[in-house]
């Protein structure tokens, strides 16, 4: 029973970080007029919605159905994005840098989850999500670096 509770805690943390990611990309979409970034952010937002569905399905499968919110770090991330925009930081580089900050948080959460003792099927789900999130992180970082060079 204790193992199931720890597994539920891990899953809930990942649901929360994905909820943060969804909210972060919703905010990023409103902060740019660049159609390429809007499209990228919409794809990443959709990915996290899919991850939340997968994680919640697993939670329900082990008999857990607790309320999930966003993390404290995610709230700080969104507030930081608001502050940057209010001080004129809504250029491509600033938006991408804010998104990378969120992607870094997601990577940390997934690494910590994979350090836990988890059932094999769940470990595979989390590993697949982590690899996809790493690719998103790298894409955001690359675009941010390109913008830094072009400034």
């Amino acid at each position: 029973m204790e193992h199931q509770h720890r597994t539920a805690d891990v899953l809930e943390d990942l649901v929360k970080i994905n909820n943060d990611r969804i909210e972060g990309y919703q905010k990023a979409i409103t902060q740019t007029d660049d159609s390429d970034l809007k499209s990228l952010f919409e794809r990443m937002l959709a990915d996290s919605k899919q991850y939340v569905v997968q994680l919640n399905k697993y939670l329900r499968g082990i008999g857990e159905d607790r309320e999930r919110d966003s993390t404290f770090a995610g709230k700080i991330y969104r507030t930081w994005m608001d502050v940057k925009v209010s001080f004129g930081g809504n250029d491509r580089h600033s938006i991408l840098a804010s998104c990378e900050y969120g992607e870094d948080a997601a990577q940390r959460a997934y690494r910590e989850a994979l350090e836990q003792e988890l059932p094999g099927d769940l470990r595979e789900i989390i590993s697949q999500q982590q690899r996809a999130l790493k690719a998103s992180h790298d894409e955001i970082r690359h675009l941010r670096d390109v913008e830094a060079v072009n400034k």
Side-chain angles (χ1 to χ4, degrees):
M1 188 64 151
E2 178 63 29
H3 180 68
Q4 180 176 322
H5 182 70
R6 283 192 311 255
T7 298
D9 287 345
V10 167
L11 285 164
E12 286 181 350
D13 286 346
L14 296 179
V15 168
K16 288 176 183 179
I17 199 72
N18 276 288
N19 284 339
D20 292 342
R21 194 171 183 260
I22 290 165
E23 290 182 42
Y25 281 117
Q26 286 170 334
K27 184 168 292 297
I29 288 167
T30 67
Q31 294 176 353
T32 184
D33 294 324
D34 297 339
S35 61
D36 65 323
L37 289 184
K38 282 183 184 283
S39 176
L40 174 67
F41 298 157
E42 286 168 357
R43 179 174 49 87
M44 292 179 177
L45 189 151
D47 289 346
S48 273
K49 285 182 178 181
Q50 177 186 353
Y51 302 155
V52 166
V53 168
Q54 289 176 320
L55 297 168
N56 277 328
K57 181 179 177 185
Y58 201 97
L59 268 169
R60 284 188 303 278
I62 62 171
E64 297 289 333
D65 193 26
R66 295 184 243 177
E67 183 67 26
R68 288 133 204 73
D69 193 2
S70 59
T71 63
F72 181 70
K75 288 178 171 115
I76 291 172
Y77 163 53
R78 289 185 305 280
T79 301
W80 186 64
M81 286 184 76
D82 287 339
V83 169
K84 287 187 80 161
V85 169
S86 68
F87 287 104
N90 63 342
D91 60 80
R92 281 178 69 94
H93 182 268
S94 296
I95 292 168
L96 289 164
S98 295
C99 291
E100 186 185 13
Y101 178 83
E103 293 297 327
D104 288 343
Q107 285 299 303
R108 278 190 302 278
Y110 273 79
R111 272 193 307 273
E112 289 172 8
L114 289 169
E115 290 172 358
Q116 305 303 312
E117 184 179 325
L118 300 169
D121 59 335
L122 177 58
R123 179 170 297 283
E124 183 56 31
I125 291 168
I126 293 171
S127 293
Q128 288 173 355
Q129 289 182 6
Q130 192 271 339
R131 284 190 299 272
L133 287 167
K134 176 73 169 108
S136 293
H137 173 273
D138 293 348
E139 186 173 2
I140 291 288
R141 185 181 60 217
H142 171 75
L143 290 171
R144 186 217 54 204
D145 290 347
V146 167
E147 288 304 315
V149 170
N150 292 332
K151 275 191 162 187

